[in-house]
């Protein structure tokens, strides 16, 4: 049995959980409190971060490494077979990581200029994605891929943001909006978080001494 060491709000953990579910691999989830990291976790996590995937006596870290390991060992494939297409997918997964970094700043910075810069950066990246998307419903058309597993947790933030503040990130981007809806409806995506995830994220946002928190009603 594989064990996914997790944190309830972590989008990188969700990537691994989605890939595991899409491949039908049973796993246990072990949550840690990142605000008070237990000693056993500090001992096995070289960067002090989740996710970790425990595979027998080995501990894998870094979500990209974990999903590539799953890709190497478990069917069905979630990357395209053709090398150039596969490289393109990996590159857009990297954009997904930079979007998560922008989202983190939007959530936490007390500085309005930094907030505005990252909100604009998010808009720019999703605008570029609009021109990459085809007929959908997913990044690669009919086929769910690891790129989808990376973007689903990023889109999930906006389910909470949209209730609280208008960032305008997706306005005039119909393909991105349709992609977002398709991912939200996918069972592996729904099951990647706890039932009260949205309430937990909202509570996290309100706890920040951030420019965003100051805008929330
Ligand atoms: N590059 C890492 C990022 C993982 C990451 O940032 N995890 C956060 C939670 S979402 C974490 O564990 N933070 C704890 C810390 O930095 O102390 C990955 O892709 O796995």
């Amino acid at each position: 049995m594989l064990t996914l060491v997790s944190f309830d709000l972590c989008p990188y953990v969700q990537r691994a959980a989605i890939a595991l579910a899409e491949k039908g691999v049973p796993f246990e989830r072990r949550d840690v409190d990142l605000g008070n990291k237990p000693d056993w976790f500090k001992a096995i996590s070289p960067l002090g971060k989740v996710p970790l995937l425990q595979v027998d006596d080995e501990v894998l870290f870094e979500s990209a490494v974990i999903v590539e390991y799953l890709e190497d060992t478990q069917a069905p494939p979630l990357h395209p077979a053709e090398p150039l297409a596969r490289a393109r997918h990996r590159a857009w997964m990297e954009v997904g990581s930079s979007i998560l970094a922008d989202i983190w700043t939007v959530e936490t910075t007390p500085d309005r200029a930094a907030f505005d810069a990252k909100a604009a950066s998010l808009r720019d990246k999703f605008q570029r994605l609009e021109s990459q998307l085809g007929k959908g419903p997913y990044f690669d058309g009919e086929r769910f891929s690891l790129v989808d597993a990376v973007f689903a947790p990023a889109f999930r933030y906006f389910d909470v943001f949209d209730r609280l503040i208008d960032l305008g990130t997706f306005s005039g981007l119909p393909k991105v909006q349709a992609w977002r809806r398709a991912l939200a409806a996918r069972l592996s995506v729904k099951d990647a978080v706890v039932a009260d995830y949205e309430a937990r994220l909202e509570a996290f946002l309100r706890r920040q001494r951030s420019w965003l928190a100051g805008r929330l009603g």
Side-chain angles (χ1 to χ4, degrees):
M1 176 67 88
L2 302 176
T3 302
L4 183 63
V5 180
S6 308
F7 174 68
D8 59 356
L9 293 180
C10 180
Y12 301 94
V13 166
Q14 290 176 51
R15 297 174 173 187
I18 292 168
L20 285 159
E22 289 290 337
K23 288 171 178 287
V25 181
F27 67 100
E28 280 172 359
R29 204 169 156 138
R30 186 173 185 190
D31 277 347
V32 289
D33 176 0
L34 289 177
N36 185 18
K37 295 175 187 170
D39 289 340
W40 66 263
F41 172 72
K42 287 193 258 187
I44 63 170
S45 179
L47 298 176
K49 294 182 179 191
V50 291
L52 302 176
L53 187 70
Q54 293 178 287
V55 186
D56 300 325
D57 292 335
E58 191 71 48
V59 179
L60 300 181
F61 58 103
E62 286 297 313
S63 61
V65 172
I66 290 169
V67 297
E68 293 287 350
Y69 167 74
L70 293 171
E71 186 65 5
D72 286 344
T73 54
Q74 306 282 348
L78 296 176
H79 263 327
E82 198 272 310
L84 193 56
R86 188 189 288 251
R88 174 174 169 264
H89 277 228
R90 287 188 173 126
W92 284 99
M93 288 166 71
E94 198 53 39
V95 175
S97 294
S98 104
I99 283 175
L100 291 180
D102 291 346
I103 289 173
W104 178 256
T105 301
V106 160
E107 289 180 322
T108 57
T109 184
D111 176 26
R112 177 167 187 178
F115 176 96
D116 286 344
K118 293 303 179 181
S121 167
L122 283 169
R123 167 90 189 149
D124 175 68
K125 285 168 188 157
F126 282 111
Q127 245 164 350
R128 287 172 192 269
L129 271 155
E130 181 76 12
S131 64
Q132 293 295 316
L133 295 170
K135 286 195 181 136
Y138 302 118
F139 181 82
D140 200 26
E142 296 286 329
R143 203 170 151 276
F144 187 94
S145 70
L146 285 176
V147 183
D148 298 297
V150 164
F151 276 87
F155 283 128
R156 199 194 299 277
Y157 281 100
F158 291 86
D159 298 343
V160 175
F161 293 166
D162 283 355
R163 285 195 283 107
L164 303 171
I165 189 166
D166 181 12
L167 293 173
T169 311
F170 307 119
S171 60
L173 305 180
K175 289 181 178 176
V176 172
Q177 288 180 26
W179 184 31
R180 176 185 172 188
R181 282 195 299 274
L183 291 180
R186 185 100 179 170
L187 191 60
S188 63
V189 171
K190 289 183 181 170
D191 287 349
V193 291
V194 287
D196 62 345
Y197 166 87
E198 288 196 11
R200 291 187 195 199
L201 178 58
E202 183 173 340
F204 168 82
L205 293 175
R206 291 186 184 282
R207 276 201 304 277
Q208 306 310 302
R209 293 199 180 151
S210 62
W211 194 83
L212 175 65
R215 322 299 333 142
L216 306 179

